[in-house]
Amino acid sequence: MMADDYDTREIWRPLVFRLHENAPAVVREVLLERGWTEFDKEEQDDADWNLYWRNSPFRMTDHHSIKPWQRLNHYPEAVRITRKDYLARHLKRMRGSYGSALYEFSPVAFIMPNDYIKFISEYSKERQSRGRRSSYWICKPVGLSRGRGILIFQDIKDLVYDCTVIVQKYISNPLLISGYKLDLRLYVCVTSFCPLTIYTYEEGLVRFATEKFDLGSLDNVYAHLTNTSINKYGASYEKYKEGIGCGSKWTFSKFRSYLRIFGVDDMLLWQKINNIVILTLLAVTPLPVASNCFELFGFDILIDEKFKPWLLEVNYNPALRLDCSTDDTVKRKLLHDIVELLNYRQIDAFRQNQVAGTKAGRRRVPWSTAGGSATREASGLLTCQKVAKCTSASSVQPALQAARVSTGKVATPSKKTAKAYPRKTLTSQMRERMNMPKTPSSEKAEAKNKQLQGAGYSPHKSDQLSHWLPTPDFCKCKLTTRPYFLSDKDQRPIPRVGDFVLIFPFNEAALRASKDGTDVKSIIKEINKLVSKQLPSKEQNTKKKVGCLTSV
Ligand code: ADP
């Protein structure tokens, strides 16, 4: 076969995803919808996938052997903020270092049994000062999720536990809609911990309890917990609930419209939530440097009746089950936008350079050879760009020679090694479209994509929510056409990809402070400036409206 025929056949090779058992079904569905194919262990080489998705952490060897064209859906040690006790410890440390004014967004917490004495002292102090109207507490096992093993109590004699738990101040004055408690599931994607690059997702889920809030029945989980995994078993779940509807979920869009009807300043609320996200992630930096991974976190935010947002916990592997049509709408689009955010165009750039290099040498360099040298030379998501440079037409020849020296023979294209070298002009988006089965909705999406491509890479030109950005000015100047590349000092991350909005870095100073190792102190200084600009008159404005909403 002529080499060019081979290239032509390879041009349309779709991107490849690899799923570990238990990975959510919707991840497979979305990637297939986008024209990707699933990795076949029997047929393909270990290096032949582009995205590996699993629900548990990767082994360090997976991180070390990552290739420039690959992405993993977890960072090493992301669990530092997703376990309730670790999170509580990190936030306490930050409170000690940077002041409780900034870090008072998470309810006071004690890790039991270690903090038992401290808890007793706090509990007694509260009892004395508040008399009979003592505080409410919530006890949560650190190793469980989905509302399992949770206990709410007022009197210490009701506190029982047989494993490590956190006992947290219970927010007893939550924002209620028609008497129902709610919390927000906010999706946050960190595309790099070094430099720190954080996107929050504008769409998300509002999760309701399915029975009316009542402090007189602390053991009624359907009134006090908002987990869908619990409420879907409640008697009222399917029923129509006045003011809420059936089921237990709204989208953020619906919630925002609702707030606006009552004149609530939703913009200020979201700014505060974004600050919480940044301050929480700063608490766990630095994480070990790892290339080509990203992390999708689920932040659980409770809003109280004064519109103060509280961080309840951060979830690793936020649920991607589709329990209802609201889930379907939000989570499918979320996954599409994650793929956009991962920017497989960079991978194409890398591959294009490989093709150029390969043609110059008239031989293919095995992926393992090119990738191996590449991975050693680069770090972070910028790996591809560095590699693209070092494996360009002029530099591929030494790599080829190295392959000859190490193996004693010339590298020839084998079925397993010579895959996925697209033609120069090809982008991953184009290839995804070519491989997508045509449906009316995909045709509509295609038209939309064309429109977006005409306007430059991906940023979706919704003007409606640009105010969610902490500092819009920062995003106006000198944008990159793709998300972060560590190696390019002048670049900054793109401000919006689909419904993902960049919230960190939010200005020049924050960008500088996050470049060569995270300078947390300088970043906190910038956040303090930001917060002082955000708060005044607007807060009073919000307070005025509270009465209207809670009385609904
Ligand atoms: P899990 O990991 O088991 O879901 P969470 O911390 O998310 O644990 O708590 C489950 C639910 O309990 C939350 O969605 C919220 O409705 C409620 N909850 C948790 N902590 C508090 C708190 N401090 N104050 C009020 N409600 C809380």
Side-chain angles (χ1 to χ4, degrees), residues 381-410:
L381 264 172
L382 44 138
T383 316
C384 309
Q385 195 181 48
K386 274 197 169 179
V387 171
K389 282 182 190 149
C390 77
T391 54
S392 67
S394 56
S395 61
V396 76
Q397 205 54 37
L400 190 60
Q401 279 160 8
R404 282 188 189 128
V405 171
S406 65
T407 60
K409 51 188 176 190
V410 173

Side-chain angles (χ1 to χ4, degrees), residues 84 107 138 140-141 144-150 152 166 168-172 174 181-183 185 207 224-227 229 300 302 311-313 315:
K84 296 175 178 68
I138 183 166
K140 310 188 264 190
L144 292 183
S145 59
R146 290 178 272 138
R148 289 170 296 172
I150 289 184
I152 301 166
I166 68 162
Q168 204 176 50
K169 195 68 136 332
Y170 186 64
I171 309 297
S172 54
K181 177 175 172 178
L182 58 110
D183 75 0
R185 165 56 56 87
R207 308 175 312 165
H224 290 276
L225 307 188
T226 51
N227 306 75
S229 45
D300 288 349
L302 185 114
L311 175 71
L312 297 185
E313 71 155 346
N315 290 275

Side-chain angles (χ1 to χ4, degrees), residues 201-443:
Y201 203 59
E202 278 181 346
E203 194 50 284
L205 295 168
V206 179
R207 308 175 312 165
F208 288 94
T210 47
E211 288 185 20
K212 294 209 176 189
F213 187 74
D214 176 6
L215 284 170
S217 61
L218 293 182
D219 53 358
N220 183 355
V221 289
Y222 304 117
H224 290 276
L225 307 188
T226 51
N227 306 75
T228 314
S229 45
I230 288 189
N231 281 286
K232 68 183 176 186
Y233 297 111
S236 314
Y237 179 71
E238 300 283 357
K239 291 191 190 142
Y240 180 84
K241 293 169 281 301
E242 205 191 337
I244 307 293
C246 297
S248 66
K249 279 180 187 159
W250 282 8
T251 59
F252 280 5
S253 312
K254 183 167 175 176
F255 181 55
R256 275 196 306 268
S257 310
Y258 184 89
L259 294 180
R260 283 179 199 159
I261 290 172
F262 290 96
V264 175
D265 186 350
D266 63 313
M267 179 181 145
L268 178 63
L269 178 64
W270 294 117
Q271 281 172 338
K272 287 183 190 171
I273 291 174
N274 284 338
N275 293 346
I276 290 179
V277 172
I278 298 170
L279 289 166
T280 305
L281 288 165
L282 279 177
V284 290
T285 55
L287 284 187
V289 175
S291 307
N292 294 18
C293 22
F294 66 98
E295 193 74 51
L296 176 70
F297 293 109
F299 276 62
D300 288 349
I301 306 279
L302 185 114
I303 301 166
D304 70 18
E305 64 182 8
K306 293 186 177 141
F307 284 86
K308 176 181 164 55
W310 293 89
L311 175 71
L312 297 185
E313 71 155 346
V314 181
N315 290 275
Y316 189 75
N317 285 322
L320 291 174
R321 275 176 59 109
L322 306 182
D323 281 322
C324 58
S325 60
T326 312
D327 274 348
D328 201 290
T329 313
V330 172
K331 294 176 185 176
R332 254 178 224 286
K333 171 85 166 56
L334 169 76
L335 284 164
H336 278 288
D337 287 347
I338 287 175
V339 180
E340 295 290 335
L341 193 61
L342 296 182
N343 196 10
Y344 281 91
R345 283 180 172 216
Q346 289 174 349
I347 288 172
D348 272 324
F350 168 74
R351 288 171 170 180
Q352 287 157 19
N353 277 298
Q354 289 239 318
V355 172
T358 306
K359 284 193 171 163
R362 300 315 301 167
R363 284 281 189 277
R364 288 170 201 284
V365 182
W367 279 56
S368 52
T369 307
S373 63
T375 315
R376 275 195 302 279
E377 286 186 46
S379 65
L381 264 172
L382 44 138
T383 316
C384 309
Q385 195 181 48
K386 274 197 169 179
V387 171
K389 282 182 190 149
C390 77
T391 54
S392 67
S394 56
S395 61
V396 76
Q397 205 54 37
L400 190 60
Q401 279 160 8
R404 282 188 189 128
V405 171
S406 65
T407 60
K409 51 188 176 190
V410 173
T412 52
S414 71
K415 183 178 171 233
K416 279 192 161 192
T417 58
K419 283 175 180 166
Y421 293 91
R423 190 184 297 184
K424 269 190 164 179
T425 53
L426 204 63
T427 67
S428 59
Q429 281 78 7
M430 284 167 66
R431 197 168 54 249
E432 281 187 312
R433 285 208 302 277
M434 289 299 294
N435 289 294
M436 264 182 220
K438 295 262 180 203
T439 62
S441 67
S442 72
E443 272 163 15

Side-chain angles (χ1 to χ4, degrees), residues 47-112:
D48 281 356
W49 47 266
N50 301 101
L51 169 63
Y52 191 174
W53 192 290
R54 54 185 298 157
N55 278 358
S56 48
F58 289 93
R59 296 165 306 175
M60 279 322 282
T61 51
D62 293 323
H63 286 285
H64 291 147
S65 59
I66 191 83
K67 304 286 184 260
W69 52 87
Q70 299 181 319
R71 299 285 186 271
L72 303 175
N73 74 318
H74 291 300
Y75 260 89
E77 296 192 35
V79 72
R80 278 193 207 173
I81 51 166
T82 55
R83 236 182 77 156
K84 296 175 178 68
D85 50 341
Y86 295 172
L87 176 66
R89 215 169 274 145
H90 281 297
L91 294 179
K92 189 173 171 197
R93 181 178 48 78
M94 294 301 271
R95 219 175 280 135
S97 308
Y98 299 104
S100 52
L102 208 53
Y103 272 92
E104 47 94 63
F105 55 79
S106 79
V108 172
F110 298 89
I111 302 163
M112 307 292 237

